[in-house]
Amino acid sequence: MAATLKEWKNESVTVITCDGRIIVGILAGHDQVQNLVLKDAEERVYSMEETVELVPLGLYVIRGDNVALVGDTSSWEDSVQAEPLPAIFQHVL
Amino acid sequence: MIFYSFFKTLVGREVAVELKNDVVFTGTLHSVDQYLNVKLLNVKVVNHDKYPQLCSLKNCFVRGSVVRYIQIPTEHVDTELLQDAARKENAAKT
């Protein structure tokens, strides 16, 4: 079975981008290169000093090149304090 | 195509996927595609104390381009077969 994002269409998903951001939203659309359209998106900013900061983004399009991971969203712990995720470093020649 | 075929034989196994951002997930390999994008079920983050923000993830799709390693249990891999297949594919190309 091929790996697709079909099962998460219209579901709330968690996207980790290549710069280490965590964005949650409803997957309105996607294509074969993981370009994503998210509705009611919000970014969850974690830090060691404060609890989670939620930044509302609205309707968002994320280019597939920048997508690292797409996963389902179960319950979120808002009291978590954590270091932000590292970014993905690709070699640029 | 050779590694795509290889990973298709590993569907259903527990694997560990290390991403280029150093996060490691273990989970059951649900599916793979020609770009080696991987879908994992029942994921656990290996260093969940370091990355508590990812604890609630259950199933995920990982883009092939961000994978550094996929760790597989050695008993399920026929390395001889894999080496032979790789040799044949390279011989066919040149």
Side-chain angles (χ1 to χ4, degrees), chain B residues 19-80:
Chain B
L19 274 56
K20 291 178 181 171
N21 62 5
D22 300 338
V23 180
V24 186
F25 294 97
T26 49
T28 311
L29 183 63
H30 170 270
S31 52
V32 64
D33 69 5
Q34 51 171 318
Y35 305 111
L36 304 186
N37 296 329
V38 179
K39 195 185 284 185
L40 296 177
L41 303 181
N42 294 317
V43 293
K44 280 196 195 67
V45 184
V46 166
N47 259 330
H48 54 95
D49 330 293
K50 191 162 182 201
Y51 307 113
Q53 59 270 64
L54 304 175
C55 262
S56 59
L57 233 41
K58 280 269 145 7
N59 306 315
C60 64
F61 170 100
V62 181
R63 199 166 200 259
S65 59
V66 303
V67 173
R68 184 182 290 141
Y69 303 121
I70 298 186
Q71 296 156 11
I72 37 199
T74 38
E75 57 268 13
H76 294 125
V77 179
D78 185 348
T79 44
E80 296 272 347

Side-chain angles (χ1 to χ4, degrees), chain A residues 45-64:
Chain A
V45 185
Y46 290 90
S47 69
M48 290 307 278
E49 295 83 47
E50 300 167 354
T51 53
V52 184
E53 184 194 344
L54 298 176
V55 182
L57 304 169
L59 186 62
Y60 234 47
V61 171
I62 305 180
R63 192 179 153 88

